Amino acid sequence: MTRTIPRRDFLLGSAALAGAAAANAFTCVEIANAAPMAVPTVDKLSVRVLVDSSFDLFFRPKQINGVSIAPAARGGDFRKSLHNEWGLSLWLESEGGGNQRTLMLDYGYTPEVLLNNMALIGVDPAKLNALIVSHGHYDHFGGLNGFLDKFRDKLPADLKLYAGGEDNFCHRVNPTPTQGQFADFGTLDRRQLAAQKVTTVLCETPTVIADHAFTTGKITRRSSERVLPNTLVEFGIKDGLGCNVGHYLPAEMEGKIVPDEHIHEHATCFNVRDLGLVVISSCGHVGIVNSVKQAQEVSGIQKVHAIVGGFHLGPAPKDYLTQVVSEIKALNPDVVVPMHCSGLNFAQEANAQMEGKVVVTTTGSRLTFGL
């Protein structure tokens, strides 16, 4: 579901290439095809938690509403342990149509933690078909370059990284106590991806990945949700680094530092046979309800089997949290699986409103959906 755009058309459709051609930042860019999407169906989906912020040594296997969860097997060397950090990385394995596919969604905060956990969990990078990044926060792409440095020779020669859109490559900053001064929060650098011969695919429209998964494309803001305070974003390109806003924001936004609305954050989804949608939201800044409704709209499938990942409700005030959880409940998912930035407050409220549907995970655990 991707196509390479002729250079002339891309120049007409986006000022990004023109603005950065000299820096060679966009030599490996595709844009997802806007044609209607044929949603694939898989028979089984497995989600391994490579990186999250906590590990429970006493975690026990369980089943809830047809979803099974199992802890990571203990290794033989007691000196080695899974590491935790603020960030998220998921390993997605699916089976369907007699084929298997393996995708990697996000890369945690640091390569040291990611690579340590991959080795202990025992995943094989040689099986990867594609990479996905959810949005432009460092705790979701920080481990990517280190991962590529170590494993690029084991990955497909035509490896693609599916990103939600141009906004994913903007420079992020955090405010400091001094007005007008900001702390750097990093930038996903396409120059480094191009150097690793990784093709970036901008998925501003819904996109099928490796014949098994699909992304939501740009998420419409349609629920009561709002973007809770997080980073600030700087619009513009400096020395080939950053994002060009010419094709999706007014020209006067160039060079501005403004509150981050995560314009091109996207969710990764699977349609599991006889069960429905599994919607994976790595952070859900644009709203977890918005994300699920977007998946329903672009797929034409209303049944929601599972809502998984980070929901960014840790900082939510009580009344807002109660309202959002009630809207999640109205979606009638079989299970809700909070991770990363969802917050203990979310887990407590979700248990109160949706008792028996909340699945807790730990770093290293495996979730299985389907046969």
Side-chain angles (χ1 to χ4, degrees):
M1 289 292 294
T2 63
R3 60 186 176 92
T4 302
I5 298 183
R7 178 177 172 82
R8 183 184 65 83
D9 293 344
F10 189 38
L11 282 167
L12 292 172
S14 169
L17 187 57
N24 203 33
F26 295 90
T27 54
C28 292
V29 173
E30 295 180 3
I31 291 185
N33 195 331
M37 180 178 62
V39 176
T41 298
V42 301
D43 299 311
K44 183 178 181 180
L45 170 65
S46 169
V47 177
R48 295 296 296 264
V49 184
L50 298 181
V51 178
D52 204 348
S53 57
S54 66
F55 172 65
D56 183 356
L57 183 66
F58 304 112
F59 195 85
R60 296 290 180 262
K62 63 189 73 173
Q63 278 201 340
I64 299 177
N65 294 345
V67 177
S68 64
I69 181 168
R74 294 192 184 186
D77 189 343
F78 71 91
R79 296 166 297 180
K80 297 180 179 179
S81 175
L82 291 170
H83 295 170
N84 309 292
E85 66 181 359
W86 185 255
L88 190 66
S89 179
L90 302 176
W91 187 268
L92 313 176
E93 298 173 306
S94 56
E95 299 176 13
N99 299 310
Q100 296 182 336
R101 296 289 186 268
T102 303
L103 309 174
M104 194 170 177
L105 170 60
D106 291 351
Y107 311 92
Y109 207 110
T110 65
E112 292 79 11
V113 168
L114 176 63
L115 297 177
N116 174 80
N117 290 1
M118 288 179 67
L120 292 180
I121 293 169
V123 295
D124 182 3
K127 294 182 177 180
L128 279 169
N129 299 104
L131 307 177
I132 309 168
V133 64
S134 61
H135 65 298
H137 268 172
Y138 196 85
D139 51 324
H140 293 261
F141 70 79
L144 176 57
N145 285 326
F147 165 80
L148 290 172
D149 286 341
K150 185 173 180 64
F151 295 120
R152 184 62 186 94
D153 62 340
K154 299 181 183 298
L155 302 171
D158 59 348
L159 182 66
K160 295 181 180 180
L161 174 72
Y162 293 83
E166 184 68 21
D167 169 82
N168 286 196
F169 299 92
C170 294
H171 179 214
R172 261 76 188 186
V173 298
N174 286 309
T176 70
T178 303
Q179 186 173 1
Q181 293 186 8
F182 307 99
D184 188 17
F185 195 47
T187 310
L188 181 56
D189 190 346
R190 277 174 293 204
R191 299 170 303 181
Q192 294 175 328
L193 295 171
Q196 293 277 14
K197 294 182 171 56
V198 176
T199 298
T200 301
V201 182
L202 301 181
C203 304
E204 296 179 18
T205 58
T207 305
V208 171
I209 300 178
D211 302 320
H212 277 201
F214 69 95
T215 66
T216 56
K218 185 178 179 181
I219 296 171
T220 302
R221 322 291 167 105
R222 70 187 85 202
S223 73
S224 67
E225 296 167 300
R226 61 182 185 271
V227 178
L228 298 177
N230 57 104
T231 51
L232 302 175
V233 59
E234 180 180 16
F235 293 121
I237 292 180
K238 298 177 181 177
D239 299 323
L241 185 67
C243 60
N244 189 298
V245 301
H247 72 296
Y248 70 97
L249 285 177
E252 57 265 27
M253 293 304 295
E254 187 80 17
K256 298 285 188 181
I257 297 178
V258 298
D260 200 343
E261 290 289 323
H262 296 281
I263 296 168
H264 293 136
E265 182 176 10
H266 62 165
T268 301
C269 312
F270 292 83
N271 177 36
V272 182
R273 190 178 307 279
D274 300 326
L275 295 174
L277 296 175
V278 175
V279 180
I280 306 172
S281 167
S282 297
C283 239
H285 292 283
V286 300
I288 186 58
V289 175
N290 286 330
S291 300
V292 174
K293 288 185 175 181
Q294 187 73 21
Q296 291 174 313
E297 178 179 303
V298 303
S299 68
I301 298 165
Q302 295 304 303
K303 174 57 183 173
V304 180
H305 180 47
I307 305 173
V308 181
F311 308 153
H312 201 69
L313 289 166
K318 173 62 177 175
D319 57 344
Y320 177 80
L321 177 65
T322 301
Q323 174 62 30
V324 172
V325 173
S326 71
E327 293 184 35
I328 295 173
K329 180 180 180 181
L331 294 168
N332 195 29
D334 295 323
V335 295
V336 176
V337 189
M339 301 174 181
H340 182 42
C341 55
S342 300
L344 179 60
N345 55 338
F346 171 82
Q348 292 170 336
E349 182 64 31
N351 270 313
Q353 292 196 37
M354 295 182 287
E355 185 176 0
K357 289 191 172 186
V358 180
V359 179
V360 177
T361 63
T362 179
T363 298
S365 58
R366 180 203 295 269
L367 292 150
T368 302
F369 309 89
L371 299 176

